[in-house]
């Protein structure tokens, strides 16, 4: 293949039309026409941020009788879900509500948004999502905005000099403040004056004021000639890498950092050219506040800032102004968002010198997830089959890690008949007898710090990685490998140093192990009893006897043809599998018959899958009937006859087909479950 054709193939990936769109340039009059046609280009930073989130849509659902909004923006679809947020719908709802109020000018636009929570709770990820989103949004037609360059005549016939607006100002600020409101009225743009108050109040940056005054003097006050001949409007797209519209400030050593990093500093080389350090052309307006104007600025670990930085921060927040050295206060328009951990926040609360900052802060708690299903999704991002195709992650491996992490974050329930494991299941949407959605809502209200303590997802991810790397020739990792890695890591855990806490976490792992054993016992039982014909026959037999029992009739024996009394022994052997007591057996049977009757009224047929409790009871009964014929416990001795081995292979195939195991993990699970039954048989014998 020739060099030209290679180059042409590569060039196809470059979107020329998009490049031309975002590189648009035009006159000031062109810009005014754009404003009239699409007034939303005048939005402030908060309005643009809120619109960006809403542009990706949302969905509503009800959780424990509370309406929850899930914003699609936080799924990070644009980056394939790389920074997707799971399990934080309520904190994100609160955050977006703050953005909405700020966009409408109700006060939060004068505050610092402070994301507060334990380490590894996705605070940085949320801010990263917002910054990436702003970059993508300003590339789109819906998020377009504009700034301008000054075109200054060169000296002695040299080429014109181009001076970009250092703070990416809106070209509309070139309309003098004295008659800007009247001008916007004439253009039909002041129907909602509240939404444009930032435009009405703002002034040009010091360099732009300098050029504007100088040119206005040259043209004897002819404003039209100034903007017509010396202003070039251009499309503005945000880029964190290019330091345009997105700023990031991170505290460093106090000796190596000062407030000029936020507001800019004097360019001493240019003092020799312009003769004064108070000439705006001799100042670099490249501090983080300046480059983030009209966008968003992130303060990493904001509460580690030295007090000297707070003065600039407070002014930028409340008045939307910064004070560069040697210059008057300069208007800025940006979203200020920071994040901090709990230790730093407690220090803020106890520091009386930080009252002004506390008063200008809106704190949003970002806790750990307290739902297993959400926690599993966090780990699945890194350890799914697509991400680690060379290693099989056995079923429930991520689930046991998620259970342990969630249990570590839950407060022990105050109710005597409720365990912490049951509470975990209720939070995950499972149902328990005697508990309603109202009860779950009350449980959450009673727990004031749930999710603010416990094991971080970051620790769990590290230990899953360790298990992957140290699997010693195994083609898969299983839950026990991960459980062992999680416990082993506690010895050197830098954040969990208290022995009592380590003991608590080990006890929680014992509960997780019990849950896992119950899960795999149930799966093996279902795989053994997955004979559709056999379970249908058992179901039909049970229902015939229940019908005869509830209607006080006799039932025909299918083998002898004789009419006999209902088989009480059969019915109780099924009902006992799901804990139906003797005193409740008649009620349970009537419920089943009423359920069958209700389905018939709706024109639906009943089968064993129609009722979840009955299905479980029938499967357990069939398993009890069949486990002796399979002789699963003989697996432990490794001496299995050919007939039993054939039956075991069928069970293994069902585990692989229906539950996601592979050959190795299915064999391991069958061996482990066999050992559990062997222990049980030994206990019964003794």
């Amino acid at each position: 293949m020739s060099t030209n054709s290679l180059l042409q193939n590569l060039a196809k990936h470059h979107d020329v039309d998009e490049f031309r769109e975002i590189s648009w340039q035009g006159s000031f009059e062109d810009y005014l026409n754009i404003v009239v046609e699409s007034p939303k280009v005048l939005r402030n930073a908060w309005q643009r941020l809120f619109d960006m989130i809403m542009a990706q849509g949302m969905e509503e659902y009800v959780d424990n009788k509370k309406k929850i909004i899930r914003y699609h923006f936080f799924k990070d679809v644009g980056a394939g879900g790389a920074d997707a947020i799971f399990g934080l719908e309520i904190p994100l709802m609160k955050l977006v509500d703050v953005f909405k109020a700020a966009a409408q000018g109700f006060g939060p636009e004068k505050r610092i948004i402070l994301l507060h929570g334990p380490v590894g709770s996705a605070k940085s990820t949320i801010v990263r999502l917002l910054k990436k989103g702003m970059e993508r949004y300003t590339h789109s037609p819906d998020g377009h905005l504009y700034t301008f360059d000054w075109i200054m005549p060169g000296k002695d016939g040299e080429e014109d000099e181009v001076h970009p607006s250092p703070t990416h100002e809106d070209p509309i600020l070139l309309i003098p403040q004295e008659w800007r409101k009247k001008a916007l009225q004439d253009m039909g743009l002041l129907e909602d004056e509240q939404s444009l108050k930032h435009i009405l109040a703002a002034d040009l940056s010091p360099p732009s004021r300098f050029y504007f005054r100088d040119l206005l003097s040259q043209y004897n006050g002819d404003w039209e000639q100034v903007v017509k001949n010396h202003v070039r409007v251009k499309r503005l797209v945000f880029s964190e890498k290019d330091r345009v519209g997105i700023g990031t400030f991170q505290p460093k050593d106090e000796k190596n950092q000062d407030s000029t990093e936020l507001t800019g500093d004097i360019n001493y080389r240019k003092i020799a050219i312009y003769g004064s350090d108070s000439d705006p052309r001799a100042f670099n307006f490249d501090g983080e506040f300046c480059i983030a104007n009209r966008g968003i600025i992130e303060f990493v670990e904001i509460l580690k800032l030295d007090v000297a930085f707070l003065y600039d921060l407070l002014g930028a927040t409340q008045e939307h102004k910064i004070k560069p050295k040697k210059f008057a206060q300069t208007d800025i328009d940006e979203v200020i968002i920071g994040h901090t951990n709990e230790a730093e926040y407690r220090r803020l609360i106890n520091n009386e010198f930080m009252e002004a900052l506390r008063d200008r802060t809106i704190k949003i708690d970002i806790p750990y997830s307290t739902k297993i299903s959400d926690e599993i999704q966090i780990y699945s991002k890194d350890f799914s089959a697509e991400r680690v195709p060379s290693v099989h992650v056995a079923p429930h491996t991520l689930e046991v890690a998620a259970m342990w992490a969630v249990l570590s974050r839950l407060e022990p329930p105050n109710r005597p008949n409720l365990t912490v494991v049951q509470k975990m299941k209720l939070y995950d949407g499972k149902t328990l007898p005697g508990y309603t959605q109202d009860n779950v809502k009350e449980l959450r209200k009673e727990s004031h710090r749930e999710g603010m303590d416990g094991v971080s997802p970051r620790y769990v991810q590290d230990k899953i990685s360790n298990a992957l790397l140290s699997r010693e020739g195994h083609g898969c990792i299983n839950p026990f490998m991960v459980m062992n890695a999680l416990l082993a890591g506690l010895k050197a855990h830098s954040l969990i140093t208290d022995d009592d806490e380590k003991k608590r976490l080990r006890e929680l792992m014992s509960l997780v192990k019990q849950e896992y054993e119950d899960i795999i016992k149930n799966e093996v039982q279902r795989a053994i009893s997955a004979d559709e014909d056999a379970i249908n026959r058992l179901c039909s037999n049970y229902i015939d006897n229940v019908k005869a029992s509830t209607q006080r009739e006799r039932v025909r024996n299918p083998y002898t043809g004789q009419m006999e009394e209902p088989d009480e022994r059969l019915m109780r052997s099924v009902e006992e599998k799901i804990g139906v007591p003797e005193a409740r057996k008649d009620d349970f049977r009537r419920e089943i018959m009423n359920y069958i009757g209700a389905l018939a009224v709706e024109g639906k047929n009943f089968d064993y899958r129609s009722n979840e409790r009955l299905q479980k009871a029938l499967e357990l009964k069939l398993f009890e009937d069949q486990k002796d014929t399979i002789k699963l416990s003989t697996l432990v001795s490794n001496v299995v006859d050919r007939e039993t081995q054939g039956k075991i292979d069928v069970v293994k195939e069902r585990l692989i087909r229906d539950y996601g195991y592979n050959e190795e993990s299915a064999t391991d699970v069958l061996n482990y479950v066999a050992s559990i039954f062997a222990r049980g048989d030994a206990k019964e014998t003794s």
Side-chain angles (χ1 to χ4, degrees):
M1 189 177 288
S2 69
T3 304
N4 286 340
S5 60
L6 276 172
L7 187 60
Q8 288 167 357
N9 285 333
L10 288 174
K12 291 175 184 176
H13 298 290
H14 178 61
D15 192 333
V16 178
D17 292 335
E18 183 193 18
F19 177 81
R20 289 170 180 164
E21 182 69 27
I22 64 175
S23 303
W24 178 91
Q25 294 182 350
S27 67
F28 186 72
E29 187 167 1
D30 293 333
Y31 176 66
L32 293 179
N33 289 326
I34 291 172
V35 170
V36 171
E37 186 178 332
S38 180
K40 65 183 179 182
V41 299
L42 297 179
R43 289 172 294 185
N44 65 23
W46 293 94
Q47 292 163 346
R48 195 172 295 108
L49 180 67
F50 178 68
D51 288 349
M52 171 197 73
I53 294 171
M54 298 308 296
Q56 294 198 25
M58 61 183 186
E59 59 183 289
E60 291 184 5
Y61 66 98
V62 176
D63 184 19
N64 297 319
K65 293 190 174 181
K66 183 173 182 178
K67 186 177 78 171
I68 308 293
I69 299 175
R70 181 182 287 122
Y71 294 98
H72 298 322
F73 170 81
F74 295 102
K75 294 179 181 178
D76 195 23
V77 176
D83 285 322
I85 307 291
F86 301 105
L88 294 177
E89 280 80 9
I90 292 176
L92 292 174
M93 270 177 59
K94 293 177 181 177
L95 180 63
V96 176
D97 284 345
V98 170
F99 292 159
K100 182 178 181 180
Q104 295 177 356
F106 292 157
E109 73 279 7
K110 297 180 180 179
R111 303 289 179 265
I112 300 165
I113 307 303
L114 179 64
L115 304 184
H116 159 261
V119 294
S121 63
K123 303 182 296 294
S124 300
T125 305
I126 291 169
V127 181
R128 185 163 63 249
L129 262 177
L130 294 172
K131 295 194 296 185
K132 288 196 311 183
M134 288 291 270
E135 286 185 349
R136 287 196 294 264
Y137 190 60
T138 57
H139 275 76
S140 71
D142 193 47
H144 62 150
L145 72 161
Y146 300 84
T147 185
F148 62 91
D149 297 330
W150 290 103
I151 310 299
M152 302 299 291
K155 296 179 181 178
D156 301 324
E158 294 180 0
E159 289 186 6
D160 292 344
E161 297 177 359
V162 178
H163 300 283
S165 165
T167 57
H168 325 301
E169 300 154 282
D170 193 316
I172 210 75
L173 299 186
L174 292 166
I175 301 176
Q177 237 181 334
E178 298 79 31
W179 48 277
R180 190 181 300 154
K181 181 176 180 179
K182 183 68 173 67
L184 295 180
Q185 282 177 336
D186 292 345
M187 295 165 65
L189 298 173
L190 277 190
E191 292 181 9
D192 182 9
E193 186 174 329
Q194 175 70 12
S195 66
L196 289 177
K197 64 180 183 180
H198 64 287
I199 289 291
L200 297 174
D203 203 351
L204 291 168
S205 65
S208 291
R209 284 178 59 84
F210 178 89
Y211 294 127
F212 185 79
R213 286 197 310 271
D214 184 47
L215 290 167
L216 205 59
S217 175
Q218 291 182 35
Y219 284 95
N220 291 320
D222 191 334
W223 172 83
E224 181 183 358
Q225 292 301 313
V226 171
V227 296
K228 188 175 180 180
N229 297 325
H230 298 280
V231 171
R232 181 174 64 201
V233 178
K234 62 184 180 182
R235 178 87 178 263
L236 176 64
V237 291
F238 292 166
S239 169
E240 184 174 16
K241 292 179 180 177
D242 296 327
R243 302 187 75 227
V244 177
I246 296 175
T248 304
F249 187 81
Q250 187 166 351
K252 302 184 184 73
D253 179 19
E254 294 177 11
K255 296 178 181 178
N256 300 322
Q257 191 169 35
D258 59 44
S259 59
T260 58
E261 286 194 36
L262 290 174
T263 56
D265 201 3
I266 296 168
N267 187 331
Y268 291 97
R269 291 178 59 191
K270 290 188 177 180
I271 293 176
I273 300 173
Y274 299 116
S276 170
D277 60 0
S278 60
D279 189 309
R281 294 170 297 177
F283 192 90
N284 291 334
F285 287 85
D286 58 358
E288 295 301 317
F289 276 136
C290 298
I291 65 103
N293 189 36
R294 305 185 70 197
I296 183 171
I297 182 170
E298 172 191 11
F299 280 85
V300 179
E301 295 294 346
I302 187 171
L303 299 184
K304 285 187 170 74
L305 280 175
D306 187 72
V307 176
F309 291 88
L310 296 181
Y311 302 118
D312 289 310
L313 188 58
L314 296 179
T317 304
Q318 184 71 31
E319 285 81 29
H320 294 177
K321 293 179 184 292
I322 57 173
K323 178 66 174 67
K325 191 187 298 183
K326 301 267 185 177
F327 295 99
Q329 289 191 324
T330 301
D331 291 297
I332 58 169
D333 163 33
E334 55 202 68
V335 175
I336 301 175
I337 187 164
H339 44 90
T340 191
N341 58 45
E342 195 148 16
E344 295 292 339
Y345 186 73
R346 282 198 297 268
R347 193 178 74 170
L348 168 69
I349 296 298
N350 296 325
N351 189 344
E352 61 184 22
F353 297 106
M354 305 282 266
E355 285 185 3
L357 179 65
R358 278 160 38 199
D359 191 48
R360 289 170 170 82
T361 298
I362 294 177
K363 178 171 73 76
I364 305 288
D365 285 336
I366 307 295
Y368 295 135
S369 171
T370 54
K371 291 181 70 172
I372 304 170
S373 52
D374 292 326
E375 192 74 8
I376 291 172
Q377 288 189 80
I378 294 172
Y379 307 143
S380 295
K381 280 199 305 182
D382 293 326
F383 305 108
S384 63
E386 293 79 17
R387 294 297 301 273
V388 282
S390 59
V391 181
H392 176 74
V393 180
H396 312 298
T397 300
L398 302 184
E399 185 179 354
V400 297
M403 279 196 281
W404 184 67
V406 168
L407 283 172
S408 75
R409 302 162 190 170
L410 299 183
E411 296 176 11
N414 296 324
R415 319 209 171 184
N417 298 322
L418 186 70
T419 67
V420 68
V421 172
Q422 289 173 320
K423 185 180 185 182
M424 172 185 71
K425 291 179 179 179
L426 286 171
Y427 278 12
D428 202 41
K430 305 290 190 300
T431 55
L432 289 177
Y435 283 90
T436 64
Q437 288 187 340
D438 286 332
N439 298 134
V440 178
K441 196 173 180 179
E442 289 167 12
L443 283 171
R444 288 196 177 276
K445 284 184 177 178
E446 291 168 6
S447 308
H448 302 294
R449 284 192 51 80
E450 276 188 341
M452 299 301 284
D453 299 298
V455 175
S456 82
R458 204 173 286 155
Y459 172 78
V460 177
Q461 288 166 320
D462 290 344
K463 299 310 156 192
I464 295 173
S465 297
N466 289 353
L468 278 167
L469 294 172
S470 60
R471 61 186 191 278
E472 297 178 355
H474 292 277
C476 70
I477 62 165
N478 61 46
F480 286 106
M481 293 177 183
V482 170
M483 286 191 276
N484 292 336
L486 290 169
L487 289 180
L490 290 177
K491 296 176 184 176
H493 199 299
S494 59
L495 298 178
I496 302 175
T497 55
D498 182 67
D499 289 339
D500 290 338
E501 177 63 8
K502 289 181 180 180
K503 181 182 177 183
R504 183 181 79 92
L505 292 173
R506 291 190 183 96
E507 290 170 351
L508 291 177
M509 189 62 86
S510 299
L511 298 178
V512 170
K513 184 180 177 182
Q514 291 172 19
E515 281 297 303
Y516 174 61
E517 287 185 355
D518 289 343
I519 290 169
I520 58 175
K521 277 166 61 179
N522 181 259
E523 283 183 348
V524 171
Q525 287 167 350
R526 294 184 112 175
I528 289 173
S529 59
D531 185 334
E532 291 283 326
D533 293 336
I535 201 166
N536 274 316
R537 286 194 301 271
L538 178 60
C539 180
S540 178
N541 197 5
Y542 173 76
I543 294 299
D544 287 344
N545 280 277
V546 166
K547 181 180 178 183
S549 173
T550 55
Q551 297 180 2
R552 303 192 182 281
E553 298 174 349
R554 304 181 83 191
V555 65
R556 186 179 299 278
N557 188 309
Y559 303 107
T560 66
Q562 300 294 316
M563 299 301 291
E564 298 175 353
E565 291 298 319
D567 189 344
E568 185 66 23
R569 185 175 177 181
L570 168 70
M571 291 187 288
R572 289 304 294 149
S573 67
V574 171
E575 292 155 2
E576 285 171 352
K577 294 293 179 288
I578 51 172
V580 176
E582 180 75 21
R584 278 269 302 139
K585 66 181 183 182
D586 292 332
D587 293 336
F588 179 75
R589 292 167 188 175
R590 279 193 293 271
E591 286 172 12
I592 292 293
M593 294 312 297
N594 291 338
Y595 183 71
I596 293 172
L599 286 176
V601 170
E602 295 175 8
K604 298 177 181 176
N605 294 323
F606 175 83
D607 69 17
Y608 76 90
R609 298 184 194 84
S610 301
N611 185 289
E612 187 177 341
R613 289 189 73 202
L614 180 60
Q615 178 183 354
K616 183 177 180 182
L618 293 168
E619 288 173 341
L620 288 171
K621 165 64 177 165
L622 193 62
F623 170 74
E624 289 294 328
D625 294 344
Q626 293 188 355
K627 78 169 183 178
D628 290 334
T629 65
I630 291 181
K631 299 176 185 175
L632 189 60
S633 58
T634 58
L635 269 173
V636 182
S637 66
N638 292 320
V639 180
V640 184
D641 60 79
R642 183 179 296 178
E643 182 183 356
T644 302
Q645 184 62 54
K647 292 179 179 180
I648 288 171
D649 288 342
V650 170
V651 174
K652 200 183 294 184
E653 287 171 11
R654 289 171 181 166
L655 286 171
I656 294 169
R657 182 192 66 205
D658 299 334
Y659 297 101
Y661 291 88
N662 69 352
E663 179 71 25
E664 180 182 349
S665 58
T667 303
D668 289 343
V669 161
L670 277 173
N671 277 305
Y672 186 70
V673 172
S675 70
I676 294 174
F677 285 123
R679 291 200 306 265
D681 293 342
K683 287 176 185 174
E684 289 175 16
T685 304
S686 62

